[in-house]
């Protein structure tokens, strides 16, 4: 059975962010992830993580102005300096908190625009170089347009192409089962085929993004497939609890 990491952005919203670490540990989680830690000092986040006895799975690089609709800056022409600053901040936080992985968000930009493609590739190369120097892994994630309209990286094969072009062993694919099913389907075959390039996996039910085992997919078979490909990392529980975090955690006990 995979090792699960609680996503503290979506789960345990019943308590303030810094209290979610202890709440996750009390429910049996041994690792956590979240979208962004940057509203808190890195040292404070690290202390809460250590106090709860949790491992850090990953978090995202700063996305730009999230409230204004920005979802990353890597593919945004003219924002290269902002991207570089965000990359430096993410690495600084990663070193203090001790995360093994950073997720680089692409941003909202036309997927076929050549300037956006070049900007993304150049920024990805910068991120690969900087994270490599810091000894931190880097992942990129295809995201479906229903949840994030206009997102630049919206295709798994395209993500694989970008990864292959970089030829860097620490650059991997973030395989989100929820996004994969909405974008392409064929989840288990994709897990098998992409296994060598998968650096992190996330799970949520489809179509409503609630607890695993509550949607259209046979998540138990997907978990068995994750074990079968030899994946050793954490599976991030990036779902929205349907009726409260604690009320929905029975899915893990039933596995």
């Amino acid at each position: 059975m995979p090792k699960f990491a609680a996503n503290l952005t979506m789960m345990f919203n019943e308590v303030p962010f810094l209290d979610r670490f202890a709440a996750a540990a009390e429910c049996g989680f041994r690792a956590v992830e979240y979208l962004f830690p940057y509203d808190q000092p890195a040292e404070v986040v690290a202390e809460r993580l250590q106090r709860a006895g949790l491992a850090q799975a990953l978090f995202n690089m700063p996305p730009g102005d999230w409230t204004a609709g920005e979802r990353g800056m890597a593919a945004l022409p003219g924002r290269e300096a902002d991207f570089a600053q965000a990359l430096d901040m993410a690495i600084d936080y990663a070193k203090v908190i001790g995360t093994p992985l950073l997720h680089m968000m692409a941003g909202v930009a036309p997927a076929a625009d050549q300037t956006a493609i070049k900007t993304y590739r150049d920024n990805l190369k910068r991120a690969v170089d900087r994270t490599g120097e810091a000894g931190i892994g880097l992942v990129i994630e295809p995201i479906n347009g229903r949840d994030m309209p206009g997102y630049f990286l919206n295709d798994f094969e395209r993500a694989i192409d970008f990864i292959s072009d970089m030829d860097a062993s620490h650059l991997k694919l973030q395989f989100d089962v929820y996004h994969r099913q909405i974008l392409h389907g064929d989840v288990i075959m994709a897990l098998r085929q992409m296994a060598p390039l998968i650096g992190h996996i996330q799970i949520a039910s489809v179509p409503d993004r609630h607890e695993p085992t509550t949607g259209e997919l046979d998540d138990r078979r997907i978990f068995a497939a994750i074990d079968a490909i030899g994946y050793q990392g954490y599976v991030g529980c990036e779902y929205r609890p349907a009726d409260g975090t604690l009320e929905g955690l029975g899915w893990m006990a039933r596995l």
Side-chain angles (χ1 to χ4, degrees):
M1 187 57 57
K3 304 176 296 183
F4 296 108
N7 187 294
L8 300 186
T9 300
M10 294 190 171
M11 301 173 68
F12 300 101
N13 280 203
E14 298 84 354
V15 297
F17 176 74
L18 290 175
D19 293 333
R20 296 174 197 172
F21 294 86
E26 289 170 4
C27 289
F29 287 99
R30 294 293 172 261
V32 294
E33 62 178 39
Y34 34 80
L35 294 186
F36 314 109
Y38 309 107
D39 286 342
Q40 310 291 337
E43 293 79 8
V44 173
V45 176
E47 191 276 332
R48 292 298 179 105
L49 186 74
Q50 183 178 18
R51 187 195 307 179
L54 294 166
Q56 180 72 48
L58 92 164
F59 53 81
N60 297 345
M61 290 172 48
D65 190 343
W66 186 268
T67 59
E70 291 191 329
R71 297 296 183 263
M73 296 177 284
L76 305 186
R79 299 293 297 281
E80 290 85 353
D82 293 333
F83 175 84
Q85 184 176 12
L87 175 60
D88 288 344
M89 176 182 288
I91 290 173
D92 288 344
Y93 266 73
K95 289 177 178 178
V96 174
I97 296 172
T99 185
L101 290 173
L102 287 172
H103 168 218
M104 186 190 85
M105 297 190 73
V108 176
D113 182 82
Q114 292 302 311
T115 303
I117 293 170
K118 182 181 185 306
T119 301
Y120 181 81
R121 185 173 282 113
D122 290 346
N123 281 328
L124 180 58
K125 180 62 167 62
R126 178 192 292 270
V128 165
D129 290 345
R130 292 280 288 110
T131 53
E133 293 167 0
I136 300 166
L138 181 68
V139 289
I140 58 174
E141 176 189 24
I143 296 177
N144 79 81
R146 187 170 74 205
D147 284 68
M148 210 167 279
Y151 193 72
F152 174 81
L153 189 61
N154 59 6
D155 182 274
F156 272 67
E157 291 297 337
R158 193 179 197 205
I160 293 295
D161 288 343
F162 280 122
I163 292 168
S164 299
D165 287 347
M166 290 295 116
D167 191 27
S169 61
H170 69 290
L171 174 63
K172 300 289 186 179
L173 174 70
Q174 184 164 311
F175 191 111
D176 188 302
V177 171
Y178 169 81
H179 291 306
R180 172 70 199 193
Q181 174 66 5
I182 293 171
L183 285 169
H184 309 294
D186 206 16
V187 171
I188 289 178
M189 185 58 70
L191 283 167
R192 293 171 181 170
Q193 293 175 342
M194 299 177 180
L197 293 179
I198 293 174
H200 187 61
I201 296 176
Q202 293 175 322
I203 189 78
S205 68
V206 182
D208 295 319
R209 206 168 190 175
H210 292 324
E211 288 83 353
T213 75
T214 65
E216 66 190 36
L217 295 177
D218 187 339
D219 290 318
R220 291 175 179 84
R221 289 191 176 183
I222 290 172
F223 294 146
I226 290 171
D227 286 340
I229 65 173
Y231 175 74
Q232 298 297 309
Y234 289 102
V235 174
C237 299
E238 196 182 46
Y239 66 82
R240 301 185 187 95
D243 296 301
T245 302
L246 299 182
E247 292 81 355
L249 285 177
W251 69 271
M252 288 198 300
R254 291 190 294 267
L255 291 177

